[in-house]
Amino acid sequence: MEFEKVGYRDGAVELTGLHARPQARPRGTVAIYPTFMNSTPGVETKAMQLVEAGYAVLIADFYGPDAPSDFDEAFEAMRKLRSDPHAMRQRLRAALDLLRTLEPDVPQLAIGFCLGGMAVLEMARDGQDLAAVASFHGLFETALPADKPIKPRILICHGDADAMVPREQVAAFWEEMDGVQADWHFHSYAGVEHGFTNPRMLDGSPNPAYDASADRQSWAAMHSLFDEVLG
């Protein structure tokens, strides 16, 4: 199985997604929102694991031709993307629309890592018709908090030692979700830092934040939820 590059657009911005599917009819489709670095080997490995489990996948493109090449560029690209929340949601919806075209009449789910974890929560808040979403070490802050019922079931897999998400943001997120009666599960891993699902840095060196137990448990929790919602 290999990825196929698929072009799509957000207005004038040309984007490139990575699509892969099993040989048989997929049991579901998964939009995968990557980290702030855009698609990485770690994200692509997770995507292929989903294909092996019977899902069609699409790794979304956050940035288009201006994709960052290093951490400084990535932080600036992320800052720019997040600076206009409505435009960001439009960019995120474009990937869901593409996946619905590529894989029609199949239940749709979404997962995300880091900035991508924030992205799936934004799509839940946006009212997208998703069966479930799973956020791995995602960001919780939003300029557009939920003000209407949320359709998908939500799984949050969070490192309790994540310096990017202080505990007050965790509590605020719980309250936001309860305010719209969302169906959410929150898994918090003691002593675990941001980026715990990725064993390697981009240069191939070990990722000091990687936590094998949290990685295994969070991935198993996602599969368990997906199995439950898909029947």
Side-chain angles (χ1 to χ4, degrees):
M1 293 176 289
E2 296 182 353
F3 290 111
E4 174 190 7
K5 291 184 177 181
V6 183
Y8 65 112
R9 301 181 71 89
D10 170 23
V13 179
E14 296 183 357
L15 303 163
T16 303
L18 296 177
H19 177 239
R21 68 191 316 277
Q23 291 186 339
R25 175 179 169 83
R27 65 186 307 236
T29 67
V30 184
I32 302 175
Y33 293 97
T35 74
F36 78 113
M37 289 295 299
N38 237 9
S39 189
T40 62
V43 171
E44 291 165 18
T45 295
K46 295 290 192 187
M48 278 302 174
Q49 289 173 358
L50 282 167
V51 176
E52 291 167 1
Y55 297 91
V57 301
L58 176 74
I59 302 177
D61 180 359
F62 283 131
Y63 308 120
D66 297 327
S69 59
D70 58 40
F71 280 96
D72 289 340
E73 289 183 3
F75 274 113
E76 177 57 25
M78 178 174 65
R79 184 202 64 76
K80 183 178 179 181
L81 183 67
R82 295 182 63 185
S83 67
D84 187 335
H86 292 284
M88 178 178 175
R89 285 193 179 180
Q90 179 176 306
R91 178 71 50 86
L92 303 177
R93 285 192 296 266
L96 296 182
D97 292 343
L98 171 63
L99 188 51
R100 288 170 184 142
T101 300
L102 294 171
E103 305 288 349
D105 303 319
V106 180
Q108 191 171 43
L109 313 110
I111 70 171
F113 305 87
C114 179
L115 176 61
M118 176 187 179
V120 300
L121 298 179
E122 287 298 298
M123 290 296 89
R125 292 169 172 127
D126 192 54
Q128 292 298 306
D129 187 14
L130 298 162
V133 302
S135 169
F136 299 89
H137 42 87
L139 311 178
F140 299 159
E141 279 191 312
T142 181
L144 301 170
D147 60 359
K148 56 188 174 184
I150 284 178
K151 296 180 181 180
R153 294 183 64 180
I154 296 174
L155 171 65
I156 305 292
C157 297
H158 170 70
D160 188 55
D162 189 336
M164 297 184 69
V165 185
R167 284 185 176 179
E168 56 266 26
Q169 290 184 16
V170 172
F173 175 77
W174 293 347
E175 292 178 4
E176 179 194 357
M177 293 297 102
D178 283 348
V180 292
Q181 298 182 318
D183 185 342
W184 57 276
H185 294 192
F186 193 100
H187 296 196
S188 187
Y189 307 105
V192 173
E193 300 177 2
H194 186 77
F196 63 82
T197 63
N198 189 15
R200 297 280 173 187
M201 305 294 283
L202 288 177
D203 62 4
S205 62
N207 176 14
Y210 177 65
D211 188 284
S213 176
D215 183 24
R216 286 192 302 269
Q217 292 185 56
S218 60
W219 199 244
M222 177 204 70
H223 277 293
S224 178
L225 177 61
F226 287 2
D227 288 344
E228 187 171 299
V229 299
L230 295 177

